[in-house]
Amino acid sequence: MSGNRKPVHLAVYDTLADWETGHTTAYLARAGYEIRTVGASPASVRSIGGLRIQPDIALDDLRPEDSSLLILPGADLWDTSGDLAPFARKAREFLDADVPVAAICGATAGLAREGLLDDRAHTSAVSFYLVATGYKGGERYVDTDAVTDGKLITAGPTEPVAFAREVFGLLGVYEGEVLDAWYRLFHDSDAEAYAVLETAGQ
């Protein structure tokens, strides 16, 4: 990892949706980013798939200036309790500090409740899912796989590859033809895309 590259922080909590951020974190790590997990407390959590995760850092100790990106995965808890609201508030801190945030699935509803989608283009599972939060950003909803608006990325639960694509583009991990090839390889199983990545040394 380059000496001045800051870690990427992955929020972890009970009922975390395992499948939504795997492409993102794996290829960020391969690109030289340290991935650090952030929990509400130092206590371990369990994903939907039953994986036990021990957070590296507690949410209260996370500062935007120490991070390259905050990733907020989906989780049942986004819709069944207010337990994850502090993660949405931390996302506000990040965006206020001009540090990127990437939210997928239920985390988009958390951001909507926090008011972070009222003035930004965004997407989610479906538009009426966010309307149910009572947010004021309905006119900024985009019916597509993933959206980047400034330093905020949003995606729905069926789009982990598009989510990763937006993260890589925002951080400059892959660009142009290589970014497009990565997406085509993992989203479309495009064998020709593999050749592009091999040529680029990826």
Side-chain angles (χ1 to χ4, degrees):
M1 188 174 77
S2 62
N4 59 358
R5 182 174 286 172
K6 298 175 183 178
V8 166
H9 289 89
L10 173 68
V12 296
Y13 19 72
D14 286 328
T15 72
L16 167 89
D18 310 61
W19 65 92
E20 292 177 345
T21 60
H23 291 85
T24 303
T25 54
Y27 279 83
L28 286 175
R30 291 185 74 170
Y33 283 91
E34 178 188 5
I35 309 298
R36 291 180 57 77
T37 53
V38 184
S41 76
S44 65
V45 299
R46 283 199 181 272
S47 72
I48 289 177
L51 298 180
R52 182 175 175 273
I53 304 167
Q54 186 72 48
D56 294 313
I57 185 175
L59 187 64
D60 286 346
D61 296 327
L62 176 61
R63 303 185 310 164
E65 57 266 34
D66 297 331
S67 184
S68 290
L69 169 73
L70 174 63
I71 302 173
L72 299 176
D76 291 345
L77 285 178
W78 283 113
D79 297 319
T80 59
S81 77
D83 290 356
L84 302 188
F87 289 91
R89 290 194 291 272
K90 184 63 69 171
R92 178 180 292 281
E93 284 183 39
F94 268 61
L95 293 171
D96 286 348
D98 203 34
V99 179
V101 172
I104 186 169
C105 188
T108 62
L111 297 191
R113 293 184 193 98
E114 182 64 20
L116 295 174
L117 305 184
D118 289 350
D119 301 310
R120 294 177 172 92
H122 60 276
T123 194
S124 185
V126 287
S127 59
F128 56 80
Y129 171 62
L130 294 184
V131 169
T133 68
Y135 86 133
K136 300 174 183 176
E139 293 184 355
R140 305 298 304 275
Y141 187 89
V142 183
D143 189 11
T144 191
D145 54 8
V147 171
T148 299
D149 186 333
K151 294 296 178 71
L152 178 65
I153 294 167
T154 51
T158 60
E159 300 295 343
V161 178
F163 182 69
R165 177 197 65 205
E166 296 301 301
V167 169
F168 301 155
L170 184 61
L171 294 183
V173 172
Y174 303 132
E175 297 175 318
E177 182 184 37
V178 174
L179 180 61
D180 178 64
W182 186 93
Y183 178 75
R184 287 188 289 113
L185 177 62
F186 286 96
H187 189 265
D188 305 324
S189 300
D190 184 340
E192 292 182 4
Y194 182 77
V196 173
L197 294 174
E198 282 287 289
T199 300
Q202 302 298 327

